[in-house]
């Protein structure tokens, strides 16, 4: 509450007046409030009623809104998902695009790298000059190694090069420009290009326009055709040479033909006039050609008649059946034969001897074509040779009649005075006993003929027993065993011969039926045999053995064979003997001798 | 007019549907200009899934697919997901770079999608 002070009476009055005013205002206010209250109440009721209605409406509205919100929520979710989808699709698409871009870029780079590599490999390995130039001014922008080398380019040179600088002939530049303008490119244009050493070489040029970056470029390839050009030139040269040579050859052929004709005439003359027969014969054995001499050789009037007449040499010409086969065999083996001597028939059937020289004629492939050769009549020579041979044989035979063969050989070798000692030989003497008596009854010629027949039989026996006949002395016959070739069975052979001689003579009779009687003596021992003197020499025996053998005969008996004791001792086991009473042999004293009777039978 | 092409073939690519295996085959280079041009292919795929409750897309021989193409494929995957009852299999090749990268993104659109890669 307020504090009271001394001035309060005035104040209080003022305050009172204030209070009165307040009360009055409050009363008014109160009445206003009362009015207001009632108004408000009324209004409140009204409002309340209105609110009630509004509330009801709101509640309905809220329910409605909640429904709408739910719907919206659903829509939002769908939209959100679609948005997420779209974002993902966007991501997928963007990433896909990136992958593609990467892939394409990598591929493009790789492709570029490969094509560049390929181009470089081709351009650096090819022997063809490859050059890129700017179409505008002809400046070289690229040249492969072979170009740099061939043209002597310095790629570092500031001002570069124009390709046309290297054209030897300025016309080529204009020609190429015209071709490029007309056809858009150039193919196989041949021209000369100056190289590093200032020499020129021939190239075949091809030019192909292309766009590199934004630049019109020309790809020029130059193919070195110097070799071909040189070859062409050489070819032309050699063709000219060949033509010249052909002319020369033609001339020489004409000359040679003339020479040949002369030679042909010359050889023809030789062929026609030759003394020898000249011929060519087929493999089957007929004539291809023959000269007049051959025709004459075979008794034909002309070569034509000969060729027509003889169609089978083997049968018609050669006397010896397989003679031609022998010649063919020779020719097959050695290619030729010389001095091939054959007896042949002439047309008239007579035979002559010919000597042929023949060779086989073959072609370059060694195929046998025919035979050719010459033939010569050698009949005269052949006859002379035959006669000579006959004569020699005769004289040989004669010599052998006189001398044993080994002795004859020694004499032919020039030995003289042959006298060989033989320690053991057996000698036989035989005598035709009544020869002297016979001679008075028979004519001498007949007697000699008889003697010859008897002694010929003895000769055959001597040959059979391999004994050596020494000689005949009148009617006596002397033969030896073991000379001139020593043998072991000489005594046995002589004894066998003696028995054979006895039997043989029994068959002989004279014309007057007179028998021929024989007396034989045999002794064995050492002898000397040989040839003495230089004229009318004979092979003879010397020594005591010969004398004793002679005595055995002369002191024997007719028809008997008397042998010495030495013979008996050698043969007593194989032959039969009878002893003879002791005999007084002239110049020898008393000897025991035996009669040989015959061979002991087994 | 509801046309259902079974095969679309040009010099660059070919696409066809085999009802027996429920498989759509894509081959070659597919680079059509914009979604509108992909519509016929989309139609082919959409009509194909109406026939079956499992569906394969064989992309092994599809060497190239542009961005519009992958968008079309994405939308198709979404369509399949919306259908809700289809087992979708995408068959790809490890040798084709875009397939190894982009097909995984399609799986994000539809986790139940199966990816099969062959080498």
């Amino acid at each position: 509450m307020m504090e009271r002070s001394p001035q309060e009476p005035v104040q209080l009055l003022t305050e009172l007046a204030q209070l009165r005013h307040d009360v009055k205002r409050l009363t008014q206010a109160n009445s206003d409030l009362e009015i207001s209250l009632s108004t408000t109440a009324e209004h409140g009721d009204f409002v309340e009623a209105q609110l009630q209605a509004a509330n009801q409406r709101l509640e309905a509205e809220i329910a409605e809104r909640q429904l709408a919100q739910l719907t919206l929520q659903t829509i939002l979710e769908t939209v959100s998902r679609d948005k997420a989808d779209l974002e993902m699709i966007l991501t997928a698409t963007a990433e896909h695009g990136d992958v593609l871009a990467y892939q394409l870029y990598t591929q493009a780079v790789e492709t570029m790298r490969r094509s560049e590599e390929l181009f470089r490999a081709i351009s650096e390995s090819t022997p063809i000059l490859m050059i890129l130039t700017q179409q505008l001014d002809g400046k070289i922008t690229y040249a492969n190694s072979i170009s740099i080398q061939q043209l002597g380019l310095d790629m570092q040179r500031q001002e570069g090069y124009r390709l046309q600088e290297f054209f030897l002939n300025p016309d080529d530049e204009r020609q190429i420009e015209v071709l490029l303008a007309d056809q858009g490119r150039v193919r196989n244009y041949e021209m000369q290009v100056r190289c590093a050493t200032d020499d020129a070489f021939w190239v075949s040029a091809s030019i192909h326009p292309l766009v590199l970056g934004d630049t019109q470029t020309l790809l020029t390839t130059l193919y070195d055709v110097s070799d071909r050009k040189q070859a062409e030139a050489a070819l032309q040269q050699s063709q000219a040479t060949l033509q010249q040579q052909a002319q020369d050859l033609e001339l020489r052929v004409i000359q040679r033909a003339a020479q040949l004709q002369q030679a042909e005439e010359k050889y023809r003359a030789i062929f026609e006039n030759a003394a020898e027969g000249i011929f060519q014969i087929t493999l089957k054995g007929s004539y291809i050609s023959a000269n007049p001499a051959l025709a004459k050789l075979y008794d034909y009037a002309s070569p034509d008649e000969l060729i027509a007449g003889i169609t089978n040499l083997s049968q018609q010409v050669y006397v010896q059946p397989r003679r031609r086969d022998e010649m063919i065999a020779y020719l097959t083996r050695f290619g030729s034969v010389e001095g091939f001597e054959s007896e042949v028939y002439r047309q008239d059937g007579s035979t002559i001897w010919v000597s042929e020289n023949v060779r086989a004629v073959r072609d370059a492939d060694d195929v046998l074509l025919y035979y050719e050769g010459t033939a010569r009549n050698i009949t005269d020579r052949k006859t002379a040779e035959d006669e000579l041979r006959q004569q020699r044989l005769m004289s040989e035979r004669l010599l052998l009649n006189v001398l044993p063969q080994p002795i004859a050989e020694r004499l032919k070798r020039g030995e003289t005075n042959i006298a060989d000692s033989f320690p053991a030989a057996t000698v036989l003497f035989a005598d035709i006993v009544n020869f002297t008596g016979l001679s008075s009854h028979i004519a001498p010629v007949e007697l000699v003929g008889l003697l010859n027949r008897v002694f010929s039989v003895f000769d055959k026996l001597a040959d059979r027993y391999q004994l050596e006949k020494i000689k005949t002395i009148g009617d006596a016959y002397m033969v030896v065993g073991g000379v001139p070739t020593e043998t072991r069975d000489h005594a046995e052979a002589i004894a066998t011969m003696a028995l054979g001689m006895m039997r043989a003579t029994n068959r002989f009779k004279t014309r007057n039926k007179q028998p021929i009687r024989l007396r034989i003596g045999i002794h064995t021992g050492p002898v000397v045999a040989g040839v003495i003197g230089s004229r009318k020499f004979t092979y003879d025996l010397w020594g005591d053995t010969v004398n004793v053998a002679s005595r055995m005969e002369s002191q024997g008996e007719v028809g008997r064979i008397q042998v010495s004791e030495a013979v008996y001792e050698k043969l007593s086991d194989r032959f039969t003997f009878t002893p003879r009473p002791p005999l007084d042999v002239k110049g020898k004293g008393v000897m025991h001798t035996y009669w040989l009777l015959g061979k002991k039978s087994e | 007019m509801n046309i259902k092409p079974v095969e679309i073939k040009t010099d660059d690519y070919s696409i066809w549907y085999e009802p027996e295996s429920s498989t759509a085959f894509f081959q070659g280079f597919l680079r059509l200009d914009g979604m509108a041009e992909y519509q016929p292919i989309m139609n082919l795929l959409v009509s194909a899934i109406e026939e079956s409750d499992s569906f394969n897309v064989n992309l092994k021989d599809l060497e190239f697919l542009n961005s519009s193409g992958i968008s079309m494929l994405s939308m198709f995957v979404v369509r399949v997901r919306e259908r809700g009852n289809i087992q979708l299999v995408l068959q790809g090749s490890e040798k084709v770079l875009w397939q190894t990268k982009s097909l995984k993104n399609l799986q994000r659109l539809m986790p139940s999608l199966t990816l099969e890669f062959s080498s």
Side-chain angles (χ1 to χ4, degrees):
Chain A
M1 288 294 18
M2 279 182 265
E3 283 182 49
R4 304 253 177 162
S5 62
Q7 314 90 315
E8 258 178 79
V10 174
Q11 273 182 331
L12 280 171
L13 277 169
T14 328
E15 279 179 21
L16 194 61
Q18 190 69 43
L19 282 172
R20 269 183 202 139
H21 178 74
D22 286 345
V23 169
K24 192 185 168 191
R25 197 181 40 94
L26 282 172
T27 308
Q28 184 61 46
N30 190 36
S31 79
D32 286 351
L33 276 174
E34 271 174 17
I35 296 164
S36 189
L37 182 63
S38 70
T39 311
T40 304
E42 279 172 19
H43 181 75
D45 289 345
F46 179 72
V47 167
E48 224 168 79
Q50 270 189 327
L51 276 176
Q52 183 66 36
N55 195 30
Q56 280 174 350
R57 276 204 310 277
L58 268 175
E59 276 175 2
E61 211 169 280
I62 284 166
E64 215 170 277
R65 281 212 180 154
Q66 277 175 340
L67 197 66
Q69 196 178 359
L70 212 61
T71 311
L72 272 177
Q73 187 67 39
T74 317
I75 290 168
L76 182 64
E77 280 171 16
T78 310
V79 168
S80 301
R81 205 172 57 189
D82 283 354
K83 177 170 169 270
D85 282 354
L86 285 174
E87 276 173 0
M88 271 189 266
I89 290 172
L90 184 63
T91 310
T93 306
E95 285 182 11
H96 184 74
D98 289 348
V99 168
L100 291 186
Y102 171 77
Q103 197 175 353
L104 286 175
Y105 176 77
T106 319
Q107 277 173 0
V109 168
E110 176 68 12
T111 307
M112 206 166 78
R113 194 183 61 74
R114 276 202 207 141
S115 71
E116 198 176 320
E117 218 168 62
L118 185 66
F119 171 76
R120 211 158 277 283
I122 292 170
S123 76
E124 293 304 314
S125 66
T126 180
I128 296 172
L129 282 66
M130 296 178 75
I131 295 161
L132 291 175
T133 55
Q134 293 177 7
Q135 192 163 25
L136 209 57
D137 55 6
K139 278 270 163 63
I140 294 176
T141 55
Y142 169 82
N144 63 350
S145 304
I146 185 84
S147 304
I148 291 168
Q149 187 191 329
Q150 290 273 77
L151 300 179
L153 299 179
D154 173 13
M155 292 311 276
Q156 307 300 320
R157 193 168 88 161
Q158 198 68 45
E159 66 272 28
Y161 296 94
R162 287 186 73 239
L163 181 58
Q164 288 82 348
E165 288 172 38
F166 297 93
F167 293 1
L168 196 71
N169 185 349
D171 282 347
D172 287 332
E173 184 173 353
R174 281 190 292 281
Q175 290 267 15
I176 286 171
E177 274 172 16
V178 170
L179 283 169
L180 274 176
D182 283 0
Q183 298 168 9
R185 59 177 187 168
V186 177
R187 290 191 76 103
N188 301 328
Y189 180 85
E190 294 194 355
M191 62 177 180
Q192 281 185 293
V193 168
R194 185 182 299 110
C195 72
T197 55
D198 255 8
D199 293 330
F201 60 104
W202 278 95
V203 294
S204 169
S206 294
I207 302 174
H208 187 80
L210 46 113
V211 179
L212 286 182
D214 295 329
T215 317
Q216 292 291 326
T217 306
L218 292 176
L219 171 62
T220 303
T221 58
L222 304 175
Y223 182 54
D224 189 341
V225 292
S226 302
D227 290 349
R228 203 196 71 206
K229 283 282 180 187
Q230 277 173 11
E232 278 173 7
L235 196 67
Q236 277 177 358
Q237 178 66 40
S238 70
Q239 269 173 352
T241 313
L242 269 178
Q243 202 163 358
Q244 182 61 45
Q245 284 175 344
Q247 283 172 1
D248 290 353
L249 263 179
E250 219 168 308
L251 195 66
R252 276 165 59 190
V253 165
I254 292 166
Q255 290 172 348
R256 187 93 179 107
Q259 285 173 359
L260 273 176
Q261 199 172 347
Q262 285 175 0
E264 156 83 29
E265 280 163 12
K266 198 167 81 186
Y267 286 121
R268 172 60 57 184
I270 293 171
F271 179 72
E272 297 291 342
N273 300 316
E276 290 202 334
I278 302 172
F279 56 83
Q280 291 178 317
I281 47 182
T282 63
L283 305 183
K284 288 185 173 171
S286 61
Y287 280 101
I288 301 167
S289 65
N291 70 342
L294 192 78
K296 196 176 160 201
L297 189 73
Y298 285 108
D299 189 36
Y300 284 89
S302 69
D304 287 343
E305 281 183 30
L306 169 83
I307 292 166
I310 297 178
T311 54
N312 188 333
L313 279 166
S314 189
Q315 290 179 7
Q316 290 176 262
V317 170
Y318 292 100
V319 174
Q320 193 185 325
R322 303 202 64 83
R323 189 59 175 159
R324 182 170 148 81
D325 294 342
E326 287 172 19
M327 182 195 279
I328 301 295
Y330 246 85
L331 286 170
T332 307
R333 179 127 185 232
F334 301 108
S336 66
V337 294
E338 281 183 25
F340 191 81
E341 299 183 354
S342 318
E343 195 175 12
V344 295
Y345 291 112
R346 303 178 80 215
Q347 194 189 19
D348 62 4
S350 63
T351 64
I352 54 170
W353 280 86
V354 293
S355 170
E356 291 173 285
N357 294 342
V358 186
R359 72 181 193 96
V361 179
R362 294 172 184 276
D363 67 6
D365 296 327
D366 211 33
V367 174
L368 187 58
L369 300 176
Y370 56 89
Y371 305 106
E372 66 180 20
T374 59
R376 195 157 47 89
N377 190 339
I378 54 159
T379 310
D380 291 347
R381 198 201 76 200
K382 201 77 181 170
T383 313
E385 272 179 11
D386 273 357
E387 277 171 11
L388 207 64
R389 193 179 301 118
Q390 285 300 325
Q391 281 173 5
R392 185 179 295 160
L393 278 174
M394 184 96 78
S395 45
E396 295 248 325
R397 210 175 297 136
L398 280 171
L399 194 62
L400 285 177
N401 262 347
V402 179
L403 300 171
Q405 196 189 344
I407 304 303
E409 297 291 332
R410 285 164 71 180
L411 282 174
K412 273 199 265 179
R413 284 202 300 269
E415 256 184 84
T416 51
N417 294 338
I418 297 168
D420 303 320
S421 283
F422 294 87
T426 305
V427 183
L428 175 150
F429 279 89
D431 189 69
I432 297 173
V433 180
N434 50 345
F435 186 73
T436 325
L438 282 173
S439 54
S440 57
H441 297 97
I442 307 172
V445 173
E446 194 185 329
L447 195 69
V448 171
L450 177 67
L451 207 56
N452 183 42
R453 289 201 299 278
V454 173
F455 286 175
S456 290
V457 170
F458 292 175
D459 288 347
K460 279 185 189 144
L461 287 171
D463 279 346
R464 185 189 299 168
Y465 299 119
Q466 294 180 337
L467 300 167
E468 189 66 37
K469 172 191 173 185
I470 297 300
K471 60 187 168 187
T472 59
I473 311 131
D475 56 357
Y477 189 93
M478 178 184 176
V479 63
V480 64
V483 173
T485 311
E486 291 182 29
T487 58
R488 281 168 55 197
D489 62 345
H490 50 88
E492 183 175 352
I494 286 286
T496 310
M497 168 137 183
L499 293 167
M501 286 164 87
M502 282 297 178
R503 275 194 300 278
T505 36
N506 286 338
R507 296 204 303 271
F508 285 98
K509 292 265 190 332
T510 67
R511 186 176 288 181
N512 304 343
K513 309 287 181 200
Q514 301 268 347
I516 290 177
R517 311 296 299 275
L518 213 56
R519 193 173 58 215
I520 297 176
I522 303 172
H523 181 54
T524 186
V527 295
V528 171
V531 180
I532 295 175
S534 55
R535 295 183 66 243
K536 287 192 176 174
F537 43 71
T538 56
Y539 189 64
D540 212 343
L541 299 180
W542 296 272
D544 193 46
T545 304
V546 178
N547 297 333
V548 173
S550 178
R551 292 277 177 264
M552 288 298 114
E553 179 265 312
S554 59
Q555 291 186 249
E557 289 179 5
V558 172
R560 302 193 96 165
I561 304 164
Q562 180 170 234
V563 304
S564 62
E565 189 156 28
V567 174
Y568 169 79
E569 279 166 7
K570 270 186 188 288
L571 299 177
S572 58
D573 54 340
R574 278 161 285 167
F575 290 82
T576 54
F577 298 90
T578 52
R580 194 183 179 189
L583 181 72
D584 185 19
V585 177
K586 275 185 202 163
K588 278 282 165 194
V590 175
M591 286 181 77
H592 290 280
T593 65
Y594 299 82
W595 302 117
L596 169 61
L597 299 178
K599 229 173 196 162
K600 277 186 178 167
S601 50
E602 298 300 314
Chain B
M1 296 287 279
N2 191 6
I3 300 168
K4 294 182 181 175
V6 181
E7 182 174 11
I8 301 171
K9 189 168 181 177
T10 71
D11 287 346
D12 284 345
Y13 63 91
S14 53
I15 298 161
W16 72 96
Y17 174 63
E18 269 184 18
E20 305 82 53
S21 59
S22 300
T23 304
F25 288 88
F26 284 66
Q27 284 189 354
F29 291 78
L30 198 47
R31 42 191 181 88
L32 302 178
D33 194 4
M35 290 306 293
E37 291 196 11
Y38 276 101
Q39 200 55 50
I41 297 169
M42 190 66 160
N43 292 343
L44 182 146
L45 295 173
V46 168
S47 60
I49 58 170
E50 285 172 7
E51 295 172 3
S52 152
D53 51 5
S54 71
F55 189 70
N56 305 320
V57 181
N58 185 324
L59 301 164
K60 285 176 192 172
D61 293 323
L62 186 63
E63 293 182 42
F64 185 89
L65 182 68
N66 66 359
S67 292
S68 294
I70 201 77
S71 292
M72 180 273 295
L73 214 52
S74 305
M75 288 174 188
F76 172 69
V77 169
V78 172
R79 286 283 284 273
V80 171
R81 188 193 66 199
E82 297 304 318
R83 277 277 308 274
N85 54 352
I86 297 175
Q87 179 58 46
L88 179 64
V89 179
L90 295 185
Q91 298 167 336
S93 165
E94 285 175 5
K95 288 178 183 166
V96 184
L97 183 65
W98 73 264
Q99 295 184 11
T100 63
K101 303 278 184 192
S102 296
L103 294 183
K104 276 183 293 189
N105 281 334
L106 300 183
Q107 207 169 24
R108 286 167 61 193
L109 288 169
M110 179 180 173
S112 67
L113 167 73
T114 308
L115 287 181
E116 287 177 359
F117 277 99
S118 61
S119 56

